Amino acid sequence: MAEIGTNIEVAASFLKVKDLVGIPTETVYGLAGNALDEEAILKIYETKERPQFDPLIAHVDTREKLDRLVEEIPEKARELMDRFWPGPLTLLLKKSDRVPDLLTSGLDRIAVRVPDHSITLSLLAELDFPLAAPSANPFGYVSPTTALHVSDQLGSKIPYILDGGPCRVGLESTIVGFSDHGTPVIHRLGGIGIEDIQEVVGSVDLEINVSSDPKAPGMLKSHYAPGKKIIIGDIEKNLALLTSEKPGVISFDKSYEVADRNLFILSPDGRLEEAARNIFAALRKMDKEEIDVILAEYVPEEGLGKAINDRLKRAAAI
Ligand code: TXA
Ligand code: MG
């Protein structure tokens, strides 16, 4: 079973011998390994049971280390880095030859970001290689936002989990690529709102694929899925429609007539940041309760709300 601890030296020593370590970031916990080593990368795919057509994000702590991984950096990418790094923004940039094809699933762009978590930044500073880190959950399941979440599912497969407390953002990074003309293209909604990105670089394109097509990596229709059925919509009405099924409720800010333990209010004050922080923990909790169906509702479709609703939709998709 993985040890959960806060020892950066121990984490670094495992990573240096190609082992995997659970690491905290501000978004979600990652399953980290040496991003330049094929053996470590393969372990990540195996441990997550993730198909190799779904590429991994590389994490670095400095621009110098980034420069070794990429061929060129478009002007608007630079502006976004200046504004949002360290932070929940992943950029797709043309990769250098140093980067193994296995990391990018053969694509010519690498996904990179500088995470905003002091423990993981210290860890990266100890290492002379970047860390590949997908979310530390089995493929298709809800992302982990605490060390215990990681331990619950992957604890038997990895030696160590660095505990950095609950994740501050709670949703994965926003992924931005660039067209041939340098126009920013958002590929995944996440911890930074579209509006905030537009404020820096002007208009952006959206290419968020909602399909079951494996050619669109990671953007699968069904993702973030707990084991239980989820129905999204007017909770009051859906409660009334249930006959024999026992419900759990995930609401945005209101309370409903179900047993306390089967109710998770994402943010009693109606704050989207708080809802984002709680959404994955709420799905995990409901998955463990003795209920038959999860009734949830969309949050306001603005700022982080768009990313929360995206996760809910994928969690409910079959
Ligand atoms: O916040 C995050 O981004 C977290 C933390 C741990 O950093 N990581 C994360 O990784 O969410 P993962 O593997 O669960 O999701 C990464 C997404 C996948 O949908 C993958 O398909 C996409 O990024 N991706 C990675 N490399 C790519 C590439 N070269 N081109 C296109 N998409 C890529
Ligand atoms: Mg993931």
Side-chain angles (χ1 to χ4, degrees), residues 48 50 134-135 137 141 143 172 188 223-224:
K48 255 188 87 86
R50 171 164 169 151
S135 51
N137 51 278
Y141 193 76
S143 299
E172 298 84 351
R188 177 174 73 181
H223 219 93
Y224 313 106

Side-chain angles (χ1 to χ4, degrees), residues 220-252:
L220 301 178
K221 189 174 168 195
S222 171
H223 219 93
Y224 313 106
K228 297 211 167 86
K229 181 165 97 174
I230 305 185
I231 301 173
I232 310 174
D234 188 316
I235 292 173
E236 198 70 63
K237 275 191 196 146
N238 287 332
L239 276 173
L241 286 173
L242 290 181
T243 47
S244 59
E245 289 172 299
K246 192 170 173 209
V249 167
I250 300 177
S251 74
F252 175 44

Side-chain angles (χ1 to χ4, degrees), residues 141-300:
Y141 193 76
V142 182
S143 299
T145 52
T146 67
L148 269 181
H149 291 167
V150 181
S151 157
D152 268 355
Q153 289 183 306
L154 300 181
S156 63
K157 297 182 170 182
I158 58 177
Y160 198 72
I161 301 168
L162 251 189
D163 191 351
C167 298
R168 175 175 61 77
V169 176
L171 293 174
E172 298 84 351
S173 57
T174 301
I175 302 182
V176 181
F178 300 88
S179 72
D180 291 344
H181 308 290
T183 307
V185 183
I186 296 185
H187 294 274
R188 177 174 73 181
L189 299 172
I192 295 176
I194 300 176
E195 301 87 342
D196 296 329
I197 289 174
Q198 282 171 328
E199 217 168 86
V200 177
V201 292
S203 74
V204 300
D205 289 341
L206 273 187
E207 267 180 36
I208 293 151
N209 197 334
V210 185
S211 78
S212 359
D213 180 359
K215 286 200 294 287
M219 310 294 160
L220 301 178
K221 189 174 168 195
S222 171
H223 219 93
Y224 313 106
K228 297 211 167 86
K229 181 165 97 174
I230 305 185
I231 301 173
I232 310 174
D234 188 316
I235 292 173
E236 198 70 63
K237 275 191 196 146
N238 287 332
L239 276 173
L241 286 173
L242 290 181
T243 47
S244 59
E245 289 172 299
K246 192 170 173 209
V249 167
I250 300 177
S251 74
F252 175 44
D253 56 357
K254 284 193 275 305
S255 186
Y256 291 88
E257 288 288 315
V258 287
D260 269 1
R261 59 179 304 131
N262 296 339
L263 173 67
F264 198 126
I265 306 177
L266 293 174
S267 173
D269 308 329
R271 291 188 304 114
L272 289 169
E273 286 75 17
E274 188 179 21
R277 215 158 31 232
N278 285 330
I279 182 66
F280 288 145
L283 289 166
R284 276 177 189 262
K285 174 175 158 46
M286 288 306 159
D287 218 8
K288 286 191 171 161
E289 295 298 340
E290 284 178 14
I291 55 164
D292 305 309
V293 58
I294 303 169
L295 302 184
E297 63 184 353
Y298 288 121
V299 304

